[in-house]
Every structure is written in C-alpha cells, then in structure tokens.
Amino acid sequence: MIQHWLDQLGDWNPQLFRELKGRLKPRNLLLATAVSAIGQLLLVASFLVKLPSVPTQSDSRYCTGASLYGYPIFPCQLTPMGDIAINWQLWWLDVFMSVSLFGLMSLLTVGTYLLLNDLNHEERRGTLNFIRLAPQSTQRLLVGKLLGVPALLYLVLALALPLHLITGLTAQISPWLILGFDGLVIASAVFFYSVALLFGITSSWVGSFQAWFGGGALLLSLLIVSSAGTQIDWLRLLSPTTILPYLIPSNLLSSGQIFGQGVPWILENLQPLQWFNLPIGSNPVSLGTVMLVNFAVATYWVWQALERCFRNPNATTWSKSQSYLLVACFEVAIVGFAASGVETKDSWIGMHLSQLLGMNLVFFLGLMLAMSPQRQAVQDWARYRREQVTIQDGHKRSRLLPDLIWAEKSPALVAMALNLTIAAAILLPWVALWDGRESDVYKVAATISVVLTLSMLMVYATVVQLMVMMKNQWRTSWAIGTVSAIVLLPVVALFTLSLPEKVPAVWLLTAFPWMALEHLPTLAACMGVLAQWTATTVLTAQLTRQIRRAGDSVSKTLLQSDRVSLPM
Amino acid sequence: MATELAIRTHGLTKQFDRHIAVHDLDLEVKMGEVYGLIGPNGAGKTTLIRMLATAEEPTTGEIYINGERITRDQSNSTIKRRLGYLPDDFPLYDDLTVWDYLDYFARLYQLRQPRRRQRLHEVLELVQLAPKRDSLIATLSRGMKQRLSLARTIIHEPVLLLLDEPVSGLDPIARMQFREIVKVLQEAGMTILISSHVLSDLAELCTSVGIMELGFLVESASLKDLYARMSRQQILLSTLGDVDVLKAELRNYPNIEDVEVLPGTEQVRIAFGGNPEQRADLLRSLIGSGIPLTEFHCTQEDLETIFLKLGHKQAS
C-alpha cells in the first residue's frame, strides 16, 4: 500500500520522491522523532517550573488574585484544600504561545537554511544542471525541493502539532483561530521558502556562506519585527506573529504577553491599522485575509522570478515588462497603508512619507541589483543587436528605444527610469490628495522629497549598472558594496562631523534628502535635483562609452590595435 | 531536408567576454551517424555540445534538433526528451543506490511502469552494472560511475546522444567496455555526437568527424571521405638482409613517395601512391631482385596522422 502510494507520488513529482528517498531513512526518522519529543518535553518542563509550588509564595504570573500595579503578576490565593489556586488557562496560553512561536521560527529559519544548503550543494556538485535539463516544469521541480528538502523538519513540527492544538484548545482559543493561524504560518513558509529558492539560485557567488547568511538574516528580521515591532505596516503583514494577539481569549487580554510585550499595548497599535481606509486591523478575519492575500501576491512575484532564473541563472530576476507591474503593485500596497491618518502627524514632513521613501529606497536598491543585466548579457546585446533590426518600407529601423524598454539583455537604465516614473505617478497623487491642516505647506515639501529621492535612486541605478559591467568576477559584490557605501557613508560622515544642521544642503546629495528640507529653501532643493541629474548624465555617458566598447567586434578591436602599432 | 538531419546549426556563436568560443558554426549531422568532434583544448567542443544539449544559451544563431528549433524562451520539453547529454565531469548523487538513481531519472523523463522497470533492467545489463544495482553510488569505481552516467543518459531512449569526453581518465579496459556500449547504441539507431582526444577510439566508432579549432569547424566529413582525401597508403617492409640494400632498391620504383627506416628495427615504412596492381608489381619485383623479405604489410595513415597533417596539434 505504502509502496504503491510512494510510486504514485514519484510519478507525480520525481523530485519530491528523490528528496524523500534520500532523507526518510530509519536513522533520520528516529532522530527527528527524538528531537521533537525532547524539545516538547523541555518546553513544557520550562513552564512547569514557573508554577508557584511553595504554599508560602506570595505572587506569581499564574496565581489568581487581582493584578498588582497593572503588571501581569498576581497575588497567590489558597484553595480550601490548602493548595495555591492556579490560573491554568493562562499557563496553557503561555505554553501555546511558546510552542507556536518556537515552531514558527524553526519552520521558517531552519527550513530556509536547509533549502539554501541543499541548492548550494547541488550547484557545487553540478547535479542541478541535470535537473534543469529534465523535461519537467520549473514549478514541479521546485515544489519537489520545497516539500522534500525540509521533510525531516516537517516531521519534527508535525509531531509537535498535538501539543500546539491541545494547549490552544485548553487555553480556550477558538479552534478556527488556531487553524487560521496555522494557515498563515503555512502561507508564510511557502513565501519565505520561495524567496530562499530564488536567493539560492541567483546568488551562488555568495558561496557556502549562503545558507547561514539566508537563515540568519531571516531569523534576525523575524525577531526584530516580532519582538521590537515595526512602524512599517507592510512588514508587519509578512510576519505571522502579527496575528497572535487576536488569538488570546478576551478574559486573558490584560495578562497576555508576546515576546515580553503586553498584548493590550500590541493591540492598541494593531487595531487602527487601515489600508486605503479599510479597517483591516479591526478583527482577526480581516487582518488574516489581508495577510494571506499579501503572501499570495508576494509569492506570485517570487515564482515569476523563479520561472526565469531556474532555467537561466544568468538572466535578470524579472524581465523589464514584469518589473513595471511589480513596481506598481509594490507602490499601491505601501501607499495603501500611508493613505490614512496623514493629518495626525506631528512632524511637518511626516512619518508616513519618510517611511514610504525609506521603503522605496530599500526596494529600488534591491530591484536595481535584480534588474541590471550582467556584463556578458550587455556585451551580447551591444554586439549583436545591430543584426536585429526591423525593415519597414525598405528602411532599416533601429530598435534602440524599444530594446531599452523591453529587451532581455539591454542595460536597465531606461527601465529603471520608467519604474521610478511609475513610483512617482503613484506617490505624487497621494501627496496631492492630502487634506489636513496646513496641508499645502506639506504638499510642496513632500513633492520635492519624492522627486529628490527618486532622482537620487536614478543616480544609484546608473552606478549599479556600471559596477555590474566590471570585468571583475566579484562584480555583484562590488556593486552591493559600492552602493551600500554611497548610501551609508555620507550619512555617517554627516553625523560624525555634526554637520546635519550646519550644512543641510549636503543632505540633498544623500539617499535621505528629505531630512534637510526643513532647513532649506525650495530653490536649494531644485539645485539639488539639478546636481543629481548632472551626476546621472555624466555616469550615463561613461556607461554608454563602456557599452559601445563592449559591443565592438573582435576584428574591429584587432584592426584598431594594428593601426596603432603600424609605423607611420 | 532539415527533418533528415539529427542536428543542424546555423550561424551558431557563443561569446564569453571578448573570447569567441564558437564562431558562426554551421554543423549538420545526419540521423543514425556517430559523429566525432576533434580539436585541441579550448577549441569550443564542450561549449558547442552544451549549446546542443540546451545547457548553454547561444549568443546568436539557430539550433535544430530533428528539424525542431530550440527556442530560448521556452522549456523545449519535447526536444529535451529526445536528448541525452553526458558532460565530461558526470556528477552523481552519492547518497542514492544505483537503482534509485536511475529510477529517479526515469521518472524525471516520464517513464511509467511497467516500462520503467523493464528499461532500468535493460540499461543496467547494457552497462554491466546489474550486480551493483543495490550498491551506493559512493562505493563505485570511476569506470562504473562513468557507465552509470551513460546509463542515466540513455534511460529515456533519446534519439540523440551528446557525449563530451566520455572516456577521459578511464583505464584501457573501461575504455573498451565504453566503446562496446556505444556500438550497441549506434546499432539501436541512436545518433551520437562524441568529443574525444582519443582519436583511435573515434576512428573505431565514428562514421563522420568534425575538426574544431579556435571556435571554427574547420573540417566536417564522413570518415570514408576523409581517409580517401587525406590518408596515404603505407607499406611496412621487413628484411632479413641489410636494410640499406632494401632502401636503395626501393628508390628504383615509381609511386614511392617516401621511405623511412623505423628506428631500432630492421623495418622500412614507405608511402605508396599506386593502386593494388602496382603494389603487387612492387612485391613481385622486390622478391625478383633477391631481397629476403619477411614482411610486406599494407596500412593506411590513421586519424591522428591525418589530424596532424591538417596542421592541427592535438593537445591531450
């Protein structure tokens, strides 16, 4: 029966079959079971020791008296039998929260590590090429990896599922809410695993450090978003821990804690959450639905990239036409969160605008690296595009502009300019629609901030394209290093020299030009834009020269060098 | 016409930075042929094979496999089912057994039961690994691993086999076993393109050869044509008498283009331009003139000599 089932599974997805065959061996299964059992025992034991055990104990988190000083520590009371009365519901709730958080973190970070490690091994061994050459769809092959590589981790967590459900139900959490949370965890795993696959395929230059880097970065981000919280609403939607406070039964709201933070305080920040004035934070169903849709859209975009990069790891992550839609999607998503509550700001530029521009900065820096074709691709395009001309009415017509907007291997500058224009086309109407007190003053400053930031991003895009055109084998690392340096170093230098207030104009030449607008006249800001455009023009001229040189035929180069060496 | 060809390329070019690895290459390989690709290291053989196997994207140019064009933006799944590609480094999964490894690839190439089991047995028999079916791949010798890789390459019964340096690093017995397998595959009707530095192997296996140099295909012809055009007839002579007397006597005959005494022996090798009748005359005359001949043996110049005669230097 099992053999027949496995055989059918193998026919449906040979990759999954291979991964399971390599991993589900008796020794590994035994080890996974032991790890899960010991982990659960230790976790429950760590909560058992927190129970008040000595009848003389005056207070505890799990005692039943009235709360002292507003903290979730309660005076202990004795039962008629002489024992300490214990708030078991709260104890079960705390165990449930720990099991859920621990399970979630393990699932996401360990799974990401395993996937990256496996891809790295396959790439180094050269076996990934055989899989690429097989007549199977990319989805099927990668779904096989996604389900098969962390198979033992799934087993460890599946064995902890009864504890998760029992603790949740005993803490009187609605089973629907528990299942909804689990659904979100699965959606987040699909998303983060897909990102891991994409990172693994496109960043083999990171080397064997890849798996530690990916897993570590994800763990750190999740810890920051979950424990410290974030003011960036869109990021909150990417962490399933966001929904956890809604699972807590109403009678325990005041005592509930997640990562040491009081649940009432978390909910106070979460419940006013709106997206284009839709009250998505008002209840768990609306928040959960939006989170699921957010994961679905984000996963869709990652899979679009996987489709391209798995077959050809040298291709840009997204095509130019895909990037236009992706940027529009991203801008609408983040502007939706900023669209409400503008008038409540205390700063004149406003926190929402700074956040929006900050997120745009990070997003576009990533997009530049993803979209800039490597040296070889640009060289091929420059060398052979002359052969691809359309003949209309007997005349050869150059395809330069359509090539720069749509073509696969052309430099990404025009496409980046279009993407930044799309961002501006969404951000500027949002600014124009502000209607708060003194909104006109804000509007001018906000418009200038948007223009300055986007035009600075254009400078960075040119630098990135120049860097990935380098002959150096480590050009991607150089591009990341250079852009990080030109984004961060000026800011560090400004603060170190205590210059922000003394020379505010310098801010206009950094990635955070809105920081200086408070201290500068509009004319200075316009001069800043002019300076940025001049920088872009100079860098573009240099890039064009490089591309022309790269596109010269070998014979032309040889003839030119011959001419130079001939005696006159 | 294109459908009669297993491989056809037109203007195929691959450029790595300033280096053109394959340059405007037009190749035609007929169905059922065993086509040998010769050339020094860096001539572009591996790049060409990788492009034919869809493992590498051409910079420009067209590739047709069985008349169907390989397109860059599609998965080419029909073509991939027809191709079998064995790279020179043949990576394997050490954690699987021989059977599980082949079973995995059979499934990847959509072979269903009971055909899959039957095919696995067939290829294991062919590559002489049936007794090792339950062994872990990590425990196999290099020759066995090479044969297992070949089994993986042919598990889905491709119509075109692309073998890149398949015998490099193998001992003479393993090479011989490999040659025998390739002969069986050819008899089964597969078209095979094989690159190798071991020209004696290619001469034994191939029906046609192509010579690549600096990314160009400088020669592409059937082996028969090549021998007819380029290979001189040679006669090996041994005498019980003085070899200098034999050498002096040979100077009196027409059609003898070159006389060479093989160092350290009493043998003389001559390049003979005449037909079989003239060859018989020569033998008769030498015996008539009293030379005590013990050997009169006709050979042809081998592929390696032809290759070197064409001005190429085989780096192996």
Side-chain angles (χ1 to χ4, degrees):
Chain A
M1 178 67 189
I2 292 174
Q3 191 57 40
H4 177 70
W5 180 80
L6 266 175
D7 202 50
Q8 285 207 322
L9 179 80
D11 280 344
W12 169 70
N13 195 321
Q15 191 59 42
L16 174 60
F17 183 72
R18 181 261 175 277
E19 303 299 345
L20 294 181
K21 273 239 158 171
R23 285 174 179 82
L24 300 187
K25 292 180 175 157
R27 193 180 63 106
N28 294 347
L29 292 174
L30 212 68
L31 209 68
T33 312
V35 166
S36 186
I38 293 170
Q40 290 177 60
L41 272 173
L42 285 177
L43 194 131
V44 173
S46 74
F47 275 93
L48 280 173
V49 296
K50 287 182 185 169
L51 284 171
S53 51
V54 194
T56 50
Q57 191 166 340
S58 61
D59 54 35
S60 159
R61 176 164 170 73
Y62 302 112
C63 282
T64 52
S67 170
L68 291 171
Y69 320 113
Y71 294 112
I73 303 287
F74 307 95
C76 292
Q77 293 171 331
L78 296 178
T79 62
M81 308 289 290
D83 300 326
I84 294 176
I86 288 171
N87 185 350
W88 282 108
Q89 191 192 357
L90 182 61
W91 187 83
W92 284 112
L93 177 72
D94 281 354
V95 179
F96 169 81
M97 285 294 169
S98 291
V99 173
S100 305
L101 285 172
F102 199 73
L104 169 73
M105 295 291 176
S106 321
L107 178 71
L108 298 185
T109 54
V110 179
T112 299
Y113 171 84
L114 289 174
L115 278 166
L116 283 170
N117 196 37
D118 179 79
L119 277 178
N120 192 261
H121 263 118
E122 290 242 30
E123 192 72 79
R124 267 190 299 162
R125 209 164 30 185
T127 42
L128 203 59
N129 279 333
F130 288 141
I131 306 174
R132 286 192 178 110
L133 294 177
Q136 295 277 346
S137 69
T138 303
Q139 290 103 316
R140 189 162 292 187
L141 291 169
L142 293 182
V143 163
K145 283 262 172 223
L146 214 140
L147 294 175
V149 173
L152 290 170
L153 174 69
Y154 295 153
L155 178 67
V156 170
L157 295 176
L159 291 173
L161 214 55
L163 180 68
H164 166 73
L165 289 173
I166 291 167
T167 50
L169 292 173
T170 321
Q172 292 168 26
I173 300 172
S174 154
W176 296 113
L177 284 178
I178 298 176
L179 290 179
F181 170 74
D182 292 345
L184 270 178
V185 171
I186 292 169
S188 71
V190 173
F191 169 69
F192 286 113
Y193 286 2
S194 307
V195 174
L197 287 175
L198 183 61
F199 179 63
I201 288 166
T202 55
S203 64
S204 48
W205 49 270
V206 178
S208 48
F209 180 56
Q210 206 180 25
W212 288 109
F213 178 75
L218 180 62
L219 180 65
L220 201 68
S221 318
L222 280 172
L223 284 176
I224 290 171
V225 172
S226 310
S227 62
T230 171
Q231 293 304 309
I232 302 169
D233 298 327
W234 184 70
L235 283 188
R236 285 202 240 181
L237 297 189
L238 289 178
S239 172
T241 51
T242 304
I243 199 98
L244 273 176
Y246 291 88
L247 268 64
I248 295 171
S250 51
N251 62 322
L252 294 180
L253 274 180
S254 55
S255 346
Q257 280 190 331
I258 297 170
F259 274 115
Q261 289 178 341
V263 169
W265 182 83
I266 300 174
L267 281 175
E268 205 176 294
N269 276 297
L270 210 55
Q271 277 170 334
L273 192 65
Q274 293 188 341
W275 192 70
F276 287 114
N277 294 326
L278 292 171
I280 58 170
S282 61
N283 64 71
V285 178
S286 58
L287 184 63
T289 311
V290 171
M291 285 174 80
L292 269 180
V293 171
N294 192 48
F295 277 127
V297 174
T299 308
Y300 166 81
W301 282 112
V302 176
W303 276 86
Q304 289 294 309
L306 279 172
E307 277 282 348
R308 288 167 55 79
C309 298
F310 180 66
R311 298 284 171 195
N312 182 5
N314 295 325
T316 55
T317 311
W318 290 280
S319 71
K320 292 189 173 67
S321 48
Q322 284 175 332
S323 76
Y324 305 138
L325 265 173
L326 172 65
V327 169
C329 225
F330 175 76
E331 294 297 339
V332 169
I334 59 168
V335 164
F337 290 108
S340 47
V342 168
E343 67 278 2
T344 60
K345 267 176 290 304
D346 49 357
S347 151
W348 71 279
I349 275 289
M351 200 173 63
H352 278 294
L353 183 69
S354 325
Q355 272 182 22
L356 269 186
L357 295 180
M359 283 185 77
N360 266 299
L361 174 71
V362 176
F363 173 75
F364 273 104
L365 288 177
L367 192 68
M368 283 166 206
L369 287 166
M371 293 292 303
S372 300
Q374 298 283 311
R375 177 182 172 79
Q376 185 64 57
V378 177
Q379 201 168 33
D380 290 350
W381 173 79
R383 171 75 182 86
Y384 295 98
R385 77 178 185 84
R386 295 182 193 92
E387 293 172 12
Q388 296 164 348
V389 290
T390 52
I391 299 174
Q392 283 184 357
D393 309 326
H395 299 292
K396 282 188 174 181
R397 176 169 291 192
S398 166
R399 286 178 46 84
L400 182 60
L401 192 62
D403 259 17
L404 290 171
I405 297 173
W406 307 110
E408 191 62 29
K409 294 178 171 179
S410 61
L413 280 198
V414 173
M416 283 310 293
L418 266 174
N419 276 321
L420 291 168
T421 313
I422 291 168
I426 294 168
L427 291 174
L428 291 178
W430 167 69
V431 170
L433 289 172
W434 282 4
D435 57 346
R437 279 179 293 113
E438 302 170 52
S439 63
D440 284 347
V441 182
Y442 297 154
K443 279 178 188 175
V444 175
T447 306
I448 294 171
S449 300
V450 170
V451 173
L452 273 167
T453 308
L454 297 185
S455 122
M456 195 65 204
L457 282 169
M458 194 61 217
V459 179
Y460 296 155
T462 324
V463 172
V464 170
Q465 184 65 74
L466 265 170
M467 297 304 291
V468 296
M469 285 284 293
M470 277 167 63
K471 271 193 175 176
N472 193 313
Q473 186 191 348
W474 300 99
R475 47 186 165 252
T476 312
S477 313
W478 272 100
I480 294 172
T482 311
V483 172
S484 309
I486 57 176
V487 169
L488 298 174
L489 282 183
V491 180
V492 174
L494 278 170
F495 276 111
T496 316
L497 303 169
S498 312
L499 288 176
E501 293 82 22
K502 290 181 201 160
V503 208
V506 185
W507 278 103
L508 298 178
L509 301 174
T510 69
F512 315 93
W514 65 85
M515 304 278 280
L517 287 183
E518 219 168 342
H519 314 286
L520 280 172
T522 310
L523 185 67
C526 292
M527 294 299 286
V529 174
L530 207 64
Q532 289 171 345
W533 286 0
T534 310
T536 307
T537 312
V538 171
L539 290 169
T540 309
Q542 169 64 15
L543 182 65
T544 313
R545 246 196 316 275
Q546 272 199 20
I547 293 171
R548 281 219 181 98
R549 225 178 10 238
D552 283 346
S553 71
V554 178
S555 1
K556 187 177 169 187
T557 316
L558 280 173
L559 289 171
Q560 276 176 344
S561 59
D562 275 359
R563 203 180 303 155
V564 170
S565 61
L566 280 173
M568 297 299 287
Chain B
M1 195 199 87
T3 48
E4 292 170 8
L5 294 171
I7 304 172
R8 184 165 78 88
T9 70
H10 176 66
L12 193 64
T13 301
K14 181 68 189 181
Q15 186 167 347
F16 295 110
D17 207 8
R18 304 298 292 174
H19 170 66
I20 300 180
V22 173
H23 201 148
D24 199 18
L25 190 135
D26 294 339
L27 171 72
E28 292 191 349
V29 178
K30 291 191 193 113
M31 283 188 187
E33 270 198 295
V34 178
Y35 190 95
L37 208 53
I38 315 170
N41 290 335
K45 303 184 299 291
T46 297
T47 308
L48 171 63
I49 291 178
R50 281 178 57 78
M51 285 193 285
L52 295 175
T54 74
E56 189 87 60
E57 192 187 43
T59 305
T60 166
E62 295 158 14
I63 300 173
Y64 296 86
I65 302 291
N66 277 27
E68 197 175 322
R69 186 174 173 184
I70 295 179
T71 43
R72 292 179 201 180
D73 49 348
Q74 286 170 18
S75 65
N76 299 304
S77 61
T78 317
I79 292 178
K80 281 176 180 171
R81 261 196 294 272
R82 292 180 187 155
L83 287 176
Y85 167 50
L86 180 65
D88 53 354
D89 53 353
F90 58 92
L92 294 156
Y93 293 108
D94 285 346
D95 60 327
L96 292 182
T97 63
V98 168
W99 181 272
D100 284 345
Y101 177 73
L102 290 177
D103 183 56
Y104 163 51
F105 274 95
R107 287 172 196 270
L108 275 179
Y109 281 86
Q110 297 160 0
L111 258 70
R112 296 277 184 265
Q113 294 290 35
R115 177 69 189 129
R116 186 170 64 234
R117 191 176 297 116
Q118 185 194 343
R119 183 66 186 153
L120 252 74
H121 282 296
E122 278 172 19
V123 293
L124 281 175
E125 282 299 324
L126 180 68
V127 300
Q128 298 156 30
L129 283 176
K132 292 280 180 184
R133 55 170 281 179
D134 295 322
S135 303
L136 272 180
I137 293 173
T139 62
L140 301 183
S141 69
R142 187 181 164 86
M144 287 177 185
K145 283 182 178 174
Q146 178 70 302
R147 296 207 302 278
L148 176 62
S149 292
L150 182 65
R152 192 264 309 152
T153 312
I154 58 170
I155 191 82
H156 56 292
E157 297 177 87
V159 289
L160 173 61
L161 261 187
L162 303 164
L163 310 177
D164 189 8
E165 302 284 352
V167 290
S168 64
L170 294 190
D171 62 43
I173 295 173
R175 263 174 51 200
M176 190 191 69
Q177 286 173 328
F178 202 89
R179 271 201 313 269
E180 294 308 315
I181 297 167
V182 171
K183 279 181 192 166
V184 174
L185 295 174
Q186 186 197 8
E187 281 161 19
M190 283 186 195
T191 308
I192 302 168
L193 187 140
I194 179 167
S195 83
S196 179
H197 286 305
V198 187
L199 301 191
S200 56
D201 281 356
L202 289 186
E204 195 180 327
L205 289 171
C206 297
T207 51
S208 295
V209 287
I211 299 173
M212 282 191 77
E213 196 161 286
L214 296 171
F216 292 92
L217 187 67
V218 291
E219 181 70 60
S220 180
S222 74
L223 212 54
K224 219 161 131 187
D225 278 356
L226 204 64
Y227 279 137
R229 274 195 290 128
M230 310 296 297
S231 172
R232 288 187 307 178
Q233 191 179 177
Q234 290 179 326
I235 303 172
L236 208 62
L237 299 141
S238 301
T239 176
L240 285 175
D242 190 351
V243 78
D244 289 332
V245 176
L246 172 63
K247 212 173 148 187
E249 183 64 27
L250 285 169
R251 289 209 181 94
N252 301 327
Y253 294 93
N255 301 316
I256 292 177
E257 291 156 8
D258 188 26
V259 180
E260 180 194 2
V261 179
L262 297 181
T265 65
E266 292 298 304
Q267 282 186 321
V268 173
R269 184 164 59 199
I270 58 171
F272 188 72
N275 56 29
E277 285 76 26
Q278 290 163 329
R279 201 163 64 215
D281 282 346
L282 171 67
L283 177 61
R284 200 177 303 119
S285 309
L286 285 174
I287 291 169
S289 58
I291 307 276
L293 280 181
T294 56
E295 189 181 3
F296 186 92
H297 175 59
C298 287
T299 59
Q300 276 207 313
E301 276 179 330
D302 60 11
L303 195 56
E304 190 147 4
T305 317
I306 297 174
F307 181 77
L308 292 172
K309 204 154 66 178
L310 282 166
H312 311 294
K313 285 195 172 63
Q314 178 69 10
S316 45

